Amino acid sequence: MTMREIGAALVLAGVAGLGCASYLNPARAWAADEPKVMIKDFMYSPMDLTVKAGTTVTWVNLDDEPHNVISDTGLFRSGGFDTHESFSYKFDKPGTYHITCSIHPRMVATIVVE
Amino acid sequence: MSDHQSHLSRRNALKCMAFGGAGTLFALSGGVFTPIDLAMAGAYDESKEGKVLGKPLFVQISDTHIGFSKEANPDVNGTLTQTIDIVNRMPQQPALIIHTGDITHLSRPAEFDLAQQLLSRLRTTELHTVPGEHDTTDATVTEYFNRFGKASDNKGYYSFDHSGVHFVALVNVLQFKPGGLGTLGLEQLAWVEADLKGRSTSMPIVVFAHMPLWNIYEPWGWGTGDADQLMNQLRRFGSVTVLNGHIHQIVQKVEGNVTFHTARSTAYPQPIAGEGTGPGPLKVGAELLPKMLGVSSINVVKHPRSLSINDTVLA
């Protein structure tokens, strides 16, 4: 098992009980219509995103510094992911989700799921 | 005291340059830390007032970021090894080593394993740690605690005494408010209050945590939101030394009886507060890098009783 696979397994283990799909995906090719949030210069871009229920959102790290994505309600928490790595989470239920990076808590963003 | 201090500070600036930026040393006099330079320390050493450069009580290593391999330093294992060599070559070995966090870059098991393997080369075997936010990014936040949680019953914060000095290890990277700074939290603050209760104010206190326990630069999260409540508990003590890492550069402040000091990283420098887009690795030339990495050693001075901080760079 590579380190990345271990990381992915940990993430899956961490959220398995919540019944959500969430994964670190360093080599995954995501569908063109799935929304991506770029992380650059210590910011999520866009900072506000609206998607339909059932959508998988992918965060891609373009910084030289690792970041992560955690929900302020504890719904999900990615492991740290490094440059050009990404993390995806499928939002099943409508609602407003506030996320932050625990390494750099100034980084915040909101996902609205309709 | 203040006149004396500024006089020494001016001399300090010149003499530290002569020493190739080898460091600044703090000596405690009458309960207040006064910055003096290494050349002055040498002079004190020969004086009748006693030795300033006594046996080092402990060495602070910080921000080793094992697992980092980018341009800012492709060989963090090598620079940690150099740091360890410096410590191992000290004529008198410190009683203990304190690592103020960001042991690893990404909290990965292999990174922790390698860090422990490298640190095991230290001749001083007593190692005390606190986690950095890079050590707690695994989704389950277990890798750090599996290895270093025993000292604190997995709380992360703990205290101990050594050589008449009371050490308090704190965690400010696990709780935070989004958009905010590091946080100690009410539970930990209550624990500190109980821990310090009844202690003599003449006992020197060393507090260490990863993120600065004073607000250096809020836009980059370089501070701890509820540190004021901690300081209210510490102010009554005659000698308090607050040691942090996180910002990969030395910033220091003396406030009453409290000396605040952040250590260099052994891995890579970071920009000065507010310069550039964020607190990421700072790329400098290969020649400059070792001058921006290093360790701090903290000495006990017996006559008069004091603590001193001495920063050393790799080159």
Side-chain angles (χ1 to χ4, degrees), chain A residues 65-66 77 79-80 82-83 105-106, chain B residues 70 105-106 134 136-137 179 219:
Chain A
E65 170 79 1
R77 177 187 172 105
D82 211 349
T83 314
R106 297 288 298 190
Chain B
K70 297 204 167 63
H105 197 54
L106 282 157
H134 282 256
T136 53
T137 65

Side-chain angles (χ1 to χ4, degrees), chain B residues 127-145:
Chain B
L127 174 69
H128 297 271
T129 65
V130 285
E133 75 286 351
H134 282 256
D135 298 318
T136 53
T137 65
D138 50 324
T140 52
V141 200
T142 49
E143 293 301 334
Y144 173 83
F145 289 96

Side-chain angles (χ1 to χ4, degrees), chain A residues 3-4 6-7 10-11 13-14 24 41-42 63-68 70 72 77-83 85 99-108, chain B residues 68 70 105-106 108-111 133-134 136-141 143 173 176-181 218-221 246 268 270 277-281 283:
Chain A
M3 256 165 43
R4 282 175 180 174
I6 291 167
L10 270 173
V11 172
L24 278 175
D41 295 340
F42 297 81
D63 272 342
D64 256 4
E65 170 79 1
H67 295 294
N68 67 1
I70 69 172
D72 69 345
R77 177 187 172 105
S78 80
F81 51 104
D82 211 349
T83 314
E85 292 181 348
I99 59 139
T100 187
C101 168
S102 75
I103 311 172
H104 314 97
R106 297 288 298 190
M107 295 168 55
V108 291
Chain B
F68 180 85
K70 297 204 167 63
H105 197 54
L106 282 157
R108 288 172 178 164
E111 296 175 347
E133 75 286 351
H134 282 256
T136 53
T137 65
D138 50 324
T140 52
V141 200
E143 293 301 334
V173 299
F176 55 87
K177 292 179 178 66
L181 301 160
E218 286 195 36
W220 285 0
H246 188 58
Y268 55 85
Q270 285 195 343
T277 53
K283 292 166 200 154

